[in-house]
Amino acid sequence: MSRSQKKIDKINFEIFTLTYGEIVTTLLKDYEDVEEVNNQLDKMGYSMGIRMVDEFLAFTGLNKCSDFRDTADAIANKAFPLFLGFPAGIQNFDEKKKEFSLVLDQNPLIEFVELPPKYKGLFYCNILCGIIRGSLEMLQIDVEAKYKKCVLRGDERSEIFISLKQDPKKGDK
Amino acid sequence: MKIICVGIIGPQNNPLLIHTDFSGEERKNIEYIVYTALDFCEEKIPAMSGNKKSSLFESYLGLLFPTEDLRVYGYVTNTHHKYVLVLDDSDVKDVDTKKFFVQLHDIFIQAISNPFYNYGEKIESLNFISNLKSLISKS
Amino acid sequence: MSVSESIWSLLLNEFVNYVVSSVSEPSEPTKEENNEDFINDPEDQKKITKAKLSNAGYQIGQKLADRYTKDRSRFREQVDIIRFLCKDFWTLLFGKNVDNLKTNHRGMWIIRDENFRPLRNLSFPFDGKNLKKFDLNENQIQIVQRFLYFPCGLIRGALSALGIDADVDVHCSLIPACEFTVISKESN
């Protein structure tokens, strides 16, 4: 399937994880409102996402996704392993409503992290939502990506909910 | 091993953690023993110089000093953190105390890697305490 | 676990851009004390940007020094620490050894990396191309410097944790090569 023989350059996850930790703690120092930190993380992720698509297409040799199911698969089983080193799971895929949940069993971003109780409202990995949104937008796929659950907040698992923004003017994607 | 106390002291000889089940007067005595241990650690840590035996540059410092009914062991990291282990045993092998320190080092690194931990501060992580208790009960 | 080099590069870029813009234009939702301290002077802005990024790197450098020296025996001499920095630490963080190390044997070291990882994927808005092996003008140097404050902090933090209290500065005029100057605070 992939015409690309070369492998993407990899680095140890620790420096990535710790850098992200500093970003989050810096934002928490700058903003009173945890919701604003969530927004900032999403914005950063969006900016990253739009720059990640080319590399993604180059290393996976994928063409445009033919349907939404393909899109979900590309994110969970191709993009996540390529950039973050682990796949995500797809659950509750709804073909009609064009939505699904991404379940993250492993996540380098949250390694070592213990979220203090006062930051309960924080979605620590919200950057991922922005990355997904930004990269799909470059492929003309407009989605909403939102964290529904996060293990750092005490939920039983981490879950991002992704739904296609339905545009009544366009046909089915 | 019957562990009375585990102490982690920072590079500036500032206590990052003193974990013991004792309280009140007994706790103060234990803390005093930990600080005394620091002096013995310093003696065992050679100043930087190439002309010394390689055994002097291991992290494990071994038995620092025995008291009447306690034995105190030490360990120092490359970042000048000192770990002190106070035991209530006379029949303890070096290999076991060394193993304890190495595992302690592992969970310590885990705890300081938390982005909400500021390097050099006291360790208050609940995960760390829980890991430490687990480590103690297994030793 | 590994991640792609690209996602870290992009993350770092976002961090730098965030700090730069938050220092020069703090917006409504920031905390009261930040608004009161709003700095107008570009030189001060540069200092604050440098401090914020460098300190972030410093924290991480200290933590990684602990992590990456765990399974080795203790350093005998200062030169062993520098060697560790230039080989093991540099490789773990930047994917390679340094290319050149010079010292005056009195607490000053100059470290040169011809292909410094954080500089490899910088692109400039000027002509849309990646700037590789290009000489930089003064203005461009200013922009590139921002991306080097964080790595300076990493190095400073690692050295500090290992017992060398030093100032670390960096200079680059030919991307992606750069030169770090490490001066121990104890040196003459």
Side-chain angles (χ1 to χ4, degrees):
Chain A
M1 167 219 59
S2 169
R3 58 173 162 76
S4 156
Q5 293 303 313
K6 60 177 182 163
K7 299 220 147 190
I8 201 169
D9 286 332
K10 296 247 175 211
I11 62 168
N12 295 322
F13 81 96
E14 290 109 359
I15 179 64
F16 173 70
T17 299
L18 291 176
T19 302
Y20 186 69
E22 280 302 309
I23 292 175
V24 175
T25 51
T26 300
L27 287 171
L28 285 168
K29 284 184 198 128
D30 288 350
Y31 290 93
E32 284 259 322
D33 182 11
V34 146
E35 203 44 54
E36 190 52 43
V37 175
N38 287 336
N39 286 341
Q40 286 295 323
L41 288 172
D42 184 79
K43 265 195 220 169
M44 282 188 189
Y46 178 82
S47 176
M48 287 171 65
I50 58 180
R51 289 170 177 78
M52 285 163 77
V53 183
D54 286 340
E55 192 176 13
F56 172 70
L57 293 174
F59 279 94
T60 58
L62 278 182
N63 294 316
K64 222 170 129 123
C65 297
S66 51
D67 63 21
F68 200 55
R69 180 85 221 192
D70 270 355
T71 305
D73 186 69
I75 298 170
N77 297 314
K78 307 255 169 20
F80 267 69
L82 185 69
F83 293 112
L84 290 165
F86 67 96
I90 300 172
Q91 282 194 18
N92 305 326
F93 184 84
D94 190 322
E95 181 58 52
K96 218 171 92 178
K97 287 194 208 162
K98 299 278 192 258
E99 58 189 38
F100 65 96
S101 282
L102 267 182
V103 176
L104 279 56
D105 288 321
Q106 266 182 290
N107 186 353
L109 289 175
I110 64 170
E111 279 298 305
F112 325 128
V113 180
E114 281 174 66
L115 194 66
K118 61 179 170 172
Y119 297 129
K120 221 159 54 92
L122 179 71
F123 280 120
Y124 186 86
C125 302
N126 217 38
I127 205 165
L128 294 177
C129 295
I131 291 177
I132 292 168
R133 197 166 53 86
S135 50
L136 289 182
E137 192 175 290
M138 294 299 280
L139 301 173
Q140 274 82 55
I141 304 173
D142 284 332
V143 297
E144 235 185 47
K146 274 182 145 51
Y147 251 99
K148 282 276 141 110
K149 295 182 185 178
C150 179
V151 292
L152 291 181
R153 288 162 37 136
D155 297 323
E156 76 278 11
R157 62 185 193 179
S158 293
E159 205 177 291
I160 300 176
F161 180 72
I162 297 174
S163 64
L164 189 68
K165 283 191 193 162
Q166 303 279 25
D167 184 348
K169 293 196 203 110
K170 294 184 184 163
D172 275 356
K173 283 223 157 121
Chain B
M1 291 200 288
K2 185 151 189 305
I3 295 173
I4 302 294
C5 175
V6 176
I8 297 181
I9 315 293
Q12 267 84 49
N13 286 346
N14 46 322
L16 300 186
L17 179 91
I18 297 193
H19 179 88
T20 177
D21 287 332
F22 288 96
S23 56
E25 204 54 45
E26 282 167 323
R27 190 193 164 95
K28 285 210 187 113
N29 290 339
I30 297 286
E31 285 179 11
Y32 177 74
I33 289 175
V34 171
Y35 291 123
T36 307
L38 284 184
D39 293 332
F40 285 87
C41 279
E42 295 294 341
E43 278 179 26
K44 283 205 164 191
I45 298 171
M48 286 231 180
S49 156
N51 302 329
K52 301 227 165 77
K53 293 192 297 203
S54 54
S55 57
L56 291 173
F57 291 94
E58 292 307 312
S59 287
Y60 180 61
L61 300 174
L63 179 69
L64 295 175
F65 65 98
T67 69
E68 245 173 43
D69 33 29
L70 300 174
R71 288 162 75 85
V72 185
Y73 292 82
Y75 180 97
V76 64
T77 71
N78 266 312
T79 52
H80 311 285
H81 287 87
K82 285 146 277 231
Y83 303 163
V84 175
L85 181 64
V86 182
L87 299 180
D88 184 15
D89 247 346
S90 44
D91 186 18
V92 176
K93 296 193 182 68
D94 260 351
V95 70
D96 293 324
T97 48
K98 190 171 176 184
K99 185 172 157 197
F100 178 87
F101 279 130
V102 169
Q103 289 171 318
L104 178 64
H105 200 165
D106 275 327
I107 63 175
F108 173 73
I109 287 176
Q110 180 86 358
I112 66 170
S113 300
N114 177 13
F116 295 99
Y117 172 77
N118 291 322
Y119 198 83
E121 282 182 358
K122 286 200 159 132
I123 297 174
E124 286 161 347
S125 148
L126 295 174
N127 279 3
F128 178 80
I129 303 294
S130 142
N131 286 338
L132 179 58
K133 285 185 175 165
S134 172
L135 177 60
I136 289 173
S137 66
K138 277 192 282 192
S139 300
Chain C
M1 264 197 275
S2 316
V3 300
S4 74
E5 184 187 320
S6 55
I7 201 173
W8 182 53
S9 283
L10 287 167
L11 189 66
L12 215 48
N13 278 5
E14 287 307 313
F15 190 26
V16 172
N17 292 338
Y18 166 76
V19 172
V20 168
S21 65
S22 74
V23 165
S24 57
E25 319 143 0
S27 48
E28 277 299 321
T30 54
K31 294 186 177 160
E32 268 310 308
E33 61 260 28
N34 282 1
N35 273 330
E36 279 166 17
D37 294 336
F38 177 52
I39 307 290
N40 261 314
D41 179 46
E43 269 309 304
D44 284 341
Q45 282 177 0
K46 188 172 145 192
K47 277 194 198 140
I48 295 177
T49 301
K50 181 175 181 179
K52 276 189 138 174
L53 289 167
S54 178
N55 289 339
Y58 184 79
Q59 268 285 314
I60 297 177
Q62 291 176 304
K63 295 179 178 184
L64 287 177
D66 255 294
R67 176 174 291 273
Y68 292 148
T69 57
K70 190 209 158 232
D71 294 317
R72 54 164 300 147
S73 55
R74 288 183 297 112
F75 296 110
R76 291 167 187 254
E77 296 181 60
Q78 227 178 40
V79 71
D80 294 323
I81 297 177
I82 299 296
R83 189 176 298 127
F84 164 79
L85 174 78
C86 294
K87 290 177 117 163
D88 303 287
F89 194 74
W90 215 267
T91 301
L92 284 159
L93 250 55
F94 306 126
K96 58 188 279 296
N97 292 352
V98 307
D99 291 299
N100 195 279
L101 172 69
K102 287 194 276 224
T103 179
N104 66 356
H105 300 289
R106 292 222 301 259
M108 182 171 102
W109 298 270
I110 297 186
I111 298 171
R112 192 170 171 82
D113 188 328
E114 298 294 343
N115 193 9
F116 192 53
R117 188 178 255 168
L119 293 181
R120 275 190 234 154
N121 294 309
L122 282 187
S123 54
F124 280 81
F126 304 111
D127 52 13
K129 290 198 294 240
N130 276 357
L131 229 71
K132 285 184 165 70
K133 293 286 184 189
F134 274 58
D135 259 8
L136 299 177
N137 65 37
E138 197 50 48
N139 202 29
Q140 291 168 321
I141 290 180
Q142 292 288 343
I143 296 180
V144 171
Q145 283 291 119
R146 292 178 195 161
F147 294 93
L148 294 171
Y149 297 147
F150 181 83
C152 270
L154 285 172
I155 296 162
R156 194 167 55 90
L159 287 173
S160 166
L162 297 174
I164 299 181
D165 197 14
D167 287 318
V168 179
D169 224 328
V170 66
H171 179 72
C172 104
S173 60
L174 199 69
I175 292 188
C178 64
E179 205 165 80
F180 292 88
T181 306
V182 177
I183 302 179
S184 161
K185 290 187 184 164
E186 285 168 6
S187 68
N188 309 336

